[in-house]
Amino acid sequence: MNDAERTAAGPDLAPTARRTPSPAEMRAALRNVREDARFLAAAVGIRPDAGEPGVRDALIWGLVAEPGDGVAGALVAALGATEALDMVAGGYGGSGMPADDERPAAGAVRDGRRRWAPRLDPEPHLAGLRAAARVGARLLLPTDPEWPPSVADLGAHAPLALWLRGDPAALAGSGVALVGARASSSYGEHVAGEFAGELAAEGRVIVSGGAYGIDGTAHRAALRAGGMTVAVLAGGVDRPYPSGHAQLFERIAASGALVSEVACGVAPTKWRFLARNRLISALSAATIVVEAGQRSGSLNTAGHAAALGRPLGAVPGPITSTASAGCHRLLRDYDACCVTSVADVRELLGGAPVAATRRAEDPDMVRLADALNVRVARGSTELAQRSGLSIDRVEALLGVLELDGGAVRSERGWRSVLR
C-alpha cells in the first residue's frame, strides 16, 4: 500500500493489504456486510428503509470509500450502488465486467479494491452507526429529495452519502462560504462577523468549516443574526473538532446543520480536511476568503470554488499583514474579486434576492442586553432585578451571550461587549 492509500484509510481503520483481494474474498466480505444482522439493525436505526438493497448498498459505499474517491464515484454513477458493489466483488472477466470504455479502467478498480476491502467488514462500522442513532444524525443519499443538488458539480468526486445533524434545507446551495485563517486577527474577525451577520439576516446561509478563527466568527455572527449556518466537518458529526467549539456545534445543529461525508466516530485527518474543502465550495453559491496566510487551507477551498466556476472573492488587508498574504495572492494571481463590503458579495451573487429566514429575536435576550453595561460589571442578581427575569434565566442567557462574544465575565460580574 502506498502512502496515499494509508492516508485515505485513516488511523481509525485497519491498514489495507498490499495484495489485491481475490474476487472470492471480496464476494465473501460483501456478503458478510450485507447479511450481518447487527449491521442491518444499526442501519435501520438511522433509516427505516435501510433494509432495501439500494439504500443498504449506498450506505456501504459511503462507509468504505473516502471522501472524494473518484473511482468509487464513477462506478456508482455508471452502475448504481448495488451493481457497482457486485462488480467490484465479482472482478473483471466475470458477469460484472464493464462493457464499454467509458467506465473506470481495470487498474483503477483493482487499486480501489485494495482501499475498500479492509472496510468490507461490519465490525468497524457498528459503533459509528449506533452513535449516529444516539445523536440523531441523518443519512442523506443522492436519491433523497433533500440531497443538495449543487454537489453534483463535483462530478465523480461528489459525495456518495452525507451525514447530517440539523435541517437539510440549509444545504440547498444558495449559501455563502466565509472561510479564513484559524490564527485570525481582530480585523479579520470584525470583517467576518459583519459579513456573516448581515448576509444571514438577509436570509443567506453561511457555510464554513467550524474551525477556530474566521470560521467560528462567521458561524457565531450568523446565529446572532437569527440566520442559518452550516458547518462542514472533516470528522463525524458526533465528535466536535475542535473540542472548544462543542457548544457552538450544538447551536448550529439546532438552527442550521452540521454535515460530514464520513460516518460518526471517524476522526478528522489532514486528508479529510482537504477533502471537505471541496464540499464547502460545492454547497455555496460563492466563496469569500476573509483572511488567509500564504499556506492557509482556505486557499485550497478557494481553488475548489474556482475549479467549480463559482464566484470567488477575497478581502484585502494591510500589505504588511502576513494574515492577509493569501488573500492578496488570490487577488493578484487568481482573478478573485476584491470584496470590501456586503454589497460586493451581493454583486458576486448576482443580486438575486433570497427568502428571509431570520428568526424572531428572543425578547428575554433583548431585556438582558439592555440591563448589561459596557463599563460597569453587574452580577446575576442585579441583572435579574434590572431585566425582570429570574436569576436562573439570566445565568442561562449570559452563557449564550458569552459564547457569542456579546458579554464578558470578570471578578465583579458581567459587562456588555460592543460588536
Side-chain angles (χ1 to χ4, degrees), residues 75-411:
L75 280 171
V76 173
L79 304 174
T82 297
E83 189 177 345
L85 278 178
D86 290 339
M87 189 279 289
V88 167
Y92 283 96
S95 59
M97 181 177 178
D100 62 72
D101 293 336
E102 295 180 359
R103 296 184 180 177
V109 175
R110 183 171 59 250
D111 290 342
R113 282 201 194 93
R114 293 174 180 167
R115 298 194 298 271
W116 307 323
R119 299 185 182 185
L120 278 176
D121 178 354
E123 202 63 41
H125 307 300
L126 293 176
L129 293 174
R130 291 164 181 163
R134 282 196 304 272
V135 301
R138 295 184 57 181
L139 171 67
L140 292 183
L141 299 174
T143 53
D144 294 334
E146 303 94 341
W147 183 261
S150 61
V151 301
D153 291 348
L154 292 169
H157 301 284
L160 296 171
L162 290 173
W163 298 87
L164 177 132
R165 290 180 61 199
D167 186 354
L171 309 182
S174 61
V176 176
L178 293 177
V179 296
R182 288 174 172 81
S184 52
S185 68
S186 57
Y187 162 76
E189 291 178 7
H190 171 76
V191 172
E194 289 290 318
F195 284 14
E198 193 168 339
L199 290 166
E202 294 176 358
R204 289 285 178 184
V205 177
I206 302 302
V207 183
S208 200
Y212 289 132
I214 298 300
D215 290 15
T217 299
H219 291 307
R220 284 190 289 269
L223 292 170
R224 277 199 304 276
M228 297 183 77
T229 184
V230 172
V232 185
L233 307 181
V237 296
D238 65 319
R239 49 189 302 169
Y241 185 88
S243 58
H245 277 174
Q247 288 181 292
L248 174 60
F249 288 158
E250 290 301 316
R251 295 181 59 212
I252 292 172
S255 59
L258 301 175
V259 64
S260 176
E261 291 180 75
V262 296
C264 289
V266 175
T269 63
K270 182 178 180 180
W271 167 262
R272 292 174 184 138
F273 277 110
L274 293 173
R276 73 88 195 263
N277 289 342
R278 82 195 198 291
L279 190 54
I280 291 176
S281 296
L283 288 172
S284 307
T287 295
I288 311 299
V289 182
V290 177
E291 192 172 49
Q294 285 282 15
R295 299 176 60 83
S296 172
S298 302
L299 303 183
N300 178 259
T301 307
H304 286 296
L308 291 171
R310 304 285 167 82
L312 173 64
V315 176
I319 60 173
T320 56
S321 172
T322 57
S324 291
C327 290
H328 298 156
R329 180 183 168 199
L330 291 175
L331 292 168
R332 183 181 65 247
D333 299 334
Y334 295 93
D335 293 327
C337 294
C338 181
V339 173
T340 61
S341 67
V342 173
D344 292 338
V345 180
R346 294 192 196 101
E347 187 175 342
L348 273 181
L349 294 165
V354 294
T357 58
R358 184 185 179 102
R359 300 188 303 275
E361 193 164 12
D362 187 341
D364 288 355
M365 188 68 81
V366 175
R367 289 161 64 181
L368 177 58
D370 288 341
L372 286 164
N373 188 280
V374 176
R375 297 182 180 84
V376 180
R378 292 169 176 161
S380 300
T381 300
E382 184 180 356
L383 290 171
Q385 293 168 347
R386 287 174 174 271
S387 65
L389 302 172
S390 69
I391 293 176
D392 288 347
R393 179 63 173 157
V394 165
E395 291 178 344
L397 292 175
L398 284 170
V400 175
L401 271 178
E402 183 180 30
L403 184 65
D404 281 346
V408 62
R409 176 167 34 190
S410 68
E411 293 181 359

